[in-house]
Amino acid sequence: MNWTRLVTCLAIMLAIAPAFGCIGLSAQILNVLVGQRVKAQYDGLKKQRVAIVVTSGMTADGPDYSMELLSRLIMGRLQQNIKEVELIPSHEIGNIMDSQGYDANYVEIGQTLKANKVVVVEVSSYSLREGATLYKGRAMYSTRVYDIESGEVRFNRGPINIAFPESGQPVTDTNAIQFEKTFLNELSYRISRYFYDYAIEEEFGRDAILSN
């Protein structure tokens, strides 16, 4: 079963049902979904030594701190949700990346770190504002997994666009630092869930995170 497509279709149904007075239908759909789990798109990180590399396709003046925070958030989610995964500390990865320069060879990086897998997240665009009065996070990202023993890419997704929240958030409701943390938390969720099973109900009402 294609859970991603099913989730998308059900999310649309849940969104439009109240507009047609079908509140009961929305509740029934949610009752059916509770307890269902979406399978990982790639489950090859279990019992592996893994390096998480997050890079920005922007200039040296780009959001380096933001990418470091995104890396830590992804690592936290993977550590929490994948059994017996060994995540290489980010400072060790950073030292190797600095020596590689712009055109990094991720297989060589994995070999140097004695990793089994290297997860590479490339963020090619990144912004947090929409006009002067609205925060709205936007990014384009790709995710790949390199198997170091074979030198092959075992998983590849993207580029994917994210806009969060869909309707934006007024600048009067938060500040830039807090909004960026919220946006990066959402981005880390969308990337990390490729690699572990998760409850299908997590897909619904993601924008409601902003009100919590």
Side-chain angles (χ1 to χ4, degrees):
M1 179 181 293
N2 189 326
W3 279 110
T4 303
R5 184 174 298 174
L6 175 61
V7 167
T8 302
C9 292
L10 290 173
I12 294 171
M13 292 175 63
L14 285 169
I16 67 174
F20 292 92
C22 302
I23 303 298
L25 176 60
S26 297
Q28 290 177 30
I29 293 173
L30 285 174
N31 286 335
V32 170
L33 292 177
V34 169
Q36 300 294 324
R37 296 187 68 78
V38 180
K39 290 292 185 181
Q41 294 186 38
Y42 178 80
D43 63 357
L45 302 186
K46 296 176 183 177
K47 299 183 179 181
Q48 301 287 287
R49 178 173 165 85
V50 179
I52 307 297
V53 178
V54 179
T55 67
S56 168
M58 290 158 279
T59 66
D61 295 327
D64 290 339
Y65 167 77
S66 303
M67 299 302 102
E68 291 174 8
L69 178 55
L70 177 59
S71 177
R72 292 199 298 270
L73 289 168
I74 292 171
M75 291 176 68
R77 290 184 181 276
L78 297 183
Q79 193 73 69
Q80 183 179 1
N81 290 282
I82 300 178
K83 292 182 179 180
E84 300 180 56
V85 65
E86 179 187 355
L87 297 174
I88 299 171
S90 56
H91 70 271
E92 294 184 23
I93 299 169
N95 291 338
I96 301 298
M97 290 294 294
D98 289 343
S99 66
Q100 283 275 326
Y102 182 78
D103 190 19
N105 184 314
Y106 296 112
V107 174
E108 288 184 2
I109 290 171
Q111 292 170 341
T112 301
L113 293 167
K114 296 181 171 57
N116 304 114
K117 302 288 192 301
V118 175
V119 178
V120 179
V121 178
E122 294 182 343
V123 180
S124 57
S125 65
Y126 182 87
S127 64
L128 298 172
R129 296 287 289 262
E130 188 166 279
T133 61
L134 204 65
Y135 287 118
K136 187 171 186 177
R138 294 184 183 275
M140 180 179 289
Y141 63 95
S142 300
T143 307
R144 298 191 302 279
V145 177
Y146 290 85
D147 178 80
I148 303 309
E149 183 176 0
S150 67
E152 297 177 351
V153 175
R154 293 295 175 85
F155 178 83
N156 191 7
R157 293 291 183 275
I160 295 170
N161 282 298
I162 175 177
F164 180 85
E166 288 293 337
S167 57
Q169 185 177 23
V171 296
T172 54
D173 290 352
T174 187
N175 58 63
I177 294 174
Q178 185 57 50
F179 179 79
E180 182 168 32
K181 289 180 179 178
T182 302
F183 176 60
L184 289 173
N185 191 59
E186 176 66 16
L187 183 54
S188 74
Y189 163 75
R190 298 195 189 193
I191 294 167
S192 302
R193 68 184 181 183
Y194 289 139
F195 306 116
Y196 56 81
D197 301 352
Y198 62 93
I200 196 170
E201 59 262 31
E202 291 181 15
E203 292 288 340
F204 304 108
R206 298 297 303 172
D207 282 11
I209 293 172
L210 292 171
S211 61
N212 292 334

